[in-house]
Amino acid sequence: MLGLVVAALVAVAVPNWWCGREADAWFRGDAARVRGLAEEIVAFEAEDDQLRASGKGGELTDMWGLLTHQMTAQGLAQICLAHPEWRDRYAPIATRAAAKTLLPEMRSTFTAAWHGQDGMSVLDGPNGHAYLSYPALALGMARLVDPAFPADLAAQQDALVASYERRLLASPTALLDTLPGEAYPTDIAAVAAAIAVHGRATGVDHSAVLAHWAQQVRAVQIDRGTGLVVQRMGVDAKSHDAPRSSGTGLAAYFAGFADRSLAKELADGMFRQERTLLGFSAIHEYGSGYTGPGDIDSGPVILGISVSATSFALAPAHAFANHDVFTRIFRTTDLLGLPLHTGSRLRFTTAGATGNALLLAFLTSGPELAQ
């Protein structure tokens, strides 16, 4: 009997210890681990450059390409903010990745959804095109850390931010459509982040529009019963979906660039969806009273657990120094991500380029927080 008890304790303790053995190092921002994952992403960007130069194809495009290059730019820029001594190495690559987010092939799905209307060509128009917040934010972060940031990219970011500021101030709900008739509060949080970072990079005062956005997030975008943002809405603030953790988690990360207290509120709402087992934890996608199958934003939803929401939770847990939540979520990330050290590089084997770029941004989040 004693042997069975010992065996059970070992069976629980060993995976818990093994999968959490690097959690503290990541929480502290250990230089070797941060640089290892950064170098993996740098290698991806170099390979992407070669594919584009060859004209043979095979590079990431459309939404996954947009997300990968955006998070690469943000993660590398966050590293530069935390480690200024690494700026010469990573800032130019952040700029290169950010520039790729503006390529037309990165937004082809969105252009098709808008019946051929390219958002970059109608910045003076009324439609939201909120998906362009992702290039706008990536450009802003690169601009913040790269002394050699190109003037033409700066001009494009200026134009994007001016367009978003005008549109947000004109929207009583502070909601802009990403797709025709569909607004995503997460994307609007990215809009606010892009505006806030532009202010940090240029000294322009955007406080009025950021205050309007934060007020309306609290007024119409957060579900009172769950503390989660509604995943999809109309610009009139009518719900088109349930309040969900995946949108809330990513919105909490983006909100951290613009409004620290609001980001904390969103993070706290998502952390209430944490489900724990044997020292591991994951994030339930739907708040109490809601169910659903999930979608591309949540990733697979298994027994209510969202893969995306779980990974997104790393960012606010790290940024707001929630050590316990970070450790439990990291154990799950380690278990499913299968980290592999190869020389000076580190990658999460099952994550692919997009997943590793996301994890770089989330595991190094914090320097971007609004003061």
Side-chain angles (χ1 to χ4, degrees), residues 33 52 56 63 80-81 91 129 131 163 185 194-195 208 223 268 276 283 307 328 330 335:
R33 288 163 179 81
R52 292 179 188 282
K56 296 179 181 178
M63 288 188 287
C80 291
L81 292 174
H129 294 282
Y131 59 89
S163 175
I195 293 172
D223 175 68
D268 288 344
T276 63
I283 303 297
V307 172
R328 291 191 295 265
F330 184 86
L335 176 68

Side-chain angles (χ1 to χ4, degrees), residues 85-157:
E85 69 276 15
W86 297 352
R87 187 167 298 191
D88 289 347
R89 169 64 173 159
Y90 294 126
I93 303 167
T95 295
R96 199 161 74 238
K100 292 176 188 176
T101 67
L102 285 174
L103 294 172
E105 59 265 31
M106 299 298 176
R107 54 183 184 270
S108 55
T109 292
F110 299 105
T111 300
W114 282 98
H115 310 293
Q117 184 182 82
D118 184 346
M120 286 297 296
S121 69
V122 289
L123 294 182
D124 57 348
N127 295 324
H129 294 282
Y131 59 89
L132 289 172
S133 59
Y134 295 89
L137 178 54
L139 289 166
M141 288 296 285
R143 185 176 185 176
L144 193 61
V145 300
D146 187 359
F149 192 77
D152 62 324
L153 291 180
Q156 291 184 78
Q157 196 219 3

Side-chain angles (χ1 to χ4, degrees), residues 178-197:
T178 291
L179 303 174
E182 294 279 8
Y184 295 77
T186 302
D187 293 347
I188 315 309
V191 169
I195 293 172
V197 172

Side-chain angles (χ1 to χ4, degrees), residues 290-303:
Y290 298 93
T291 59
D295 53 22
I296 190 172
D297 297 318
S298 63
V301 174
I302 303 168
L303 299 177

